[in-house]
Amino acid sequence: MSRLNVNIDHIATIRQARRTNEPNPVSAAVICELAGADGITTHLRSDRRHIQDHDLIALKQAIITHLNLEMAATDEMIEIALRVKPDVVTLVPESPQEVTTEGGLDVLSHRKILRSTVRKLSSAGIFVSLFIDPDIRQIKASSSLGVFQVEICTSNYARLNEQPGDATVRRTGEIEAEARRIRDAARTAVRAGLKVAAGHGLTYRNVGRMAEIPEIEEFNIGHNIIARAALTGLDRAVREMIEAIRRDR
Ligand code: PXP
């Protein structure tokens, strides 16, 4: 049964829109846990556009499940992670102008900095996961760095699914090909001894096909849950995503 980590960053996005103190991401995290989330994910970005350093410290103290910190492999972030000690750090690429994370890490090109980051975090007892595209070469490179997990980027799969227009003319062939690419990547990762998570751009509508891939043990989902929560409430939105992942499985 796959686990769901809820990414609560966009609770902080709403707060930061007014630079006030509500809504509180810690309260949101607790509601997610009460609704059955298996963990909380948050991305401390270098530009601090949503989650702030104090949120991270408060989250670490408040949550009782599992804290997954997404961050770039920079000295600043490593120092924070070593202080806060989340259960897992997921290393992600970050660029200042992006609206959201744009695809996975190029582990092959950044092997040196990633190796040293993995070593520093692992020696402090923090598990490290690498966010990568569903690419066999990236999986092999990740495995050589000694991480425990890879998170496969589903944004391409999600983008193909969410094309506007008539459902009957959606690119079903392309969607299925991308789903198979993710499945093959997940299998390769498991054969290499890695655990597999997946996320980015997943929705109530498209998560089902991903949940059919047995190698994927964990989903990290944020925007779509928080968007629904704005209209239906967070407890209900989290429960409905768990149901979408676990339906008939
Ligand atoms: N996984 C990773 C590595 C991410 O960077 C993000 C976005 O912060 C997510 C999952 C969640 O993506 P979304 O908000 O589109 O569900």
Side-chain angles (χ1 to χ4, degrees):
M1 194 79 79
S2 309
R3 299 184 300 275
L4 172 66
N5 289 344
V6 180
N7 180 318
I8 44 86
D9 292 347
H10 291 313
I11 296 291
T13 303
I14 298 171
R15 179 192 62 193
Q16 294 309 108
R18 287 293 176 94
R19 303 272 191 280
T20 175
N21 59 3
E22 61 185 0
N24 184 342
V26 174
S27 311
V30 172
I31 292 171
C32 293
E33 288 186 326
L34 289 171
D38 300 288
I40 302 299
T41 294
T42 188
H43 186 170
L44 185 67
R45 297 188 69 104
S46 306
D47 63 10
R48 306 300 197 274
R49 68 174 72 159
H50 37 55
I51 289 292
Q52 308 295 306
D53 300 48
H54 63 83
D55 292 322
L56 190 58
I57 293 162
L59 282 167
K60 168 71 182 173
Q61 285 171 350
I63 69 171
I64 56 171
T65 52
H66 169 98
L67 179 62
N68 172 27
L69 169 62
E70 297 172 355
M71 59 176 230
T74 62
D75 288 344
E76 181 200 17
M77 289 298 151
I78 294 167
E79 191 268 313
I80 292 170
L82 292 176
R83 243 183 317 116
V84 175
K85 291 218 166 84
D87 299 287
V88 174
V89 160
T90 300
L91 295 174
V92 299
E94 210 175 279
S95 80
Q97 305 310 328
E98 67 190 3
V99 175
T100 179
T101 314
E102 291 169 350
L105 285 166
D106 186 348
V107 184
L108 289 155
S109 308
H110 301 103
R111 210 188 288 255
K112 199 165 160 219
I113 176 75
L114 290 172
R115 189 185 296 283
S116 112
T117 305
V118 170
R119 198 169 293 145
K120 285 177 195 157
L121 295 170
S122 304
S123 53
I126 301 168
F127 289 98
V128 183
S129 179
L130 299 181
F131 184 57
I132 56 169
D133 290 326
D135 176 329
I136 308 294
R137 290 165 313 149
Q138 298 294 344
I139 287 167
K140 292 194 172 147
S142 301
S143 156
S144 76
L145 295 187
V147 293
F148 93 110
Q149 177 175 276
V150 286
E151 178 176 340
I152 298 178
C153 176
T154 52
S155 58
N156 200 26
Y157 164 80
R159 187 182 47 76
L160 289 167
N161 268 279
E162 300 293 321
Q163 304 265 332
D166 185 345
T168 57
V169 297
R170 279 190 319 176
R171 303 193 225 157
T172 44
E174 278 180 70
I175 293 169
E176 193 43 37
E178 183 63 15
R180 279 201 295 269
R181 206 170 139 227
I182 292 169
R183 181 202 61 193
D184 292 347
R187 284 184 184 166
T188 304
V190 167
R191 278 199 294 270
L194 294 162
K195 300 238 170 246
V196 180
H200 208 272
L202 293 176
T203 69
Y204 298 87
R205 296 170 295 280
N206 66 32
V207 76
R209 177 69 184 87
M210 292 293 99
E212 286 170 7
I213 301 173
E215 288 80 7
I216 299 177
E217 291 188 35
E218 178 181 289
F219 290 100
N220 287 294
I221 307 179
H223 180 270
N224 195 238
I225 294 174
I226 305 305
R228 182 173 288 209
L231 305 180
T232 69
L234 188 52
D235 179 273
R236 182 166 154 190
V238 172
R239 289 178 197 275
E240 287 176 356
M241 184 59 83
I242 291 170
E243 201 187 308
I245 290 171
R246 299 187 181 160
R247 190 173 298 141
D248 304 326
R249 278 172 283 270

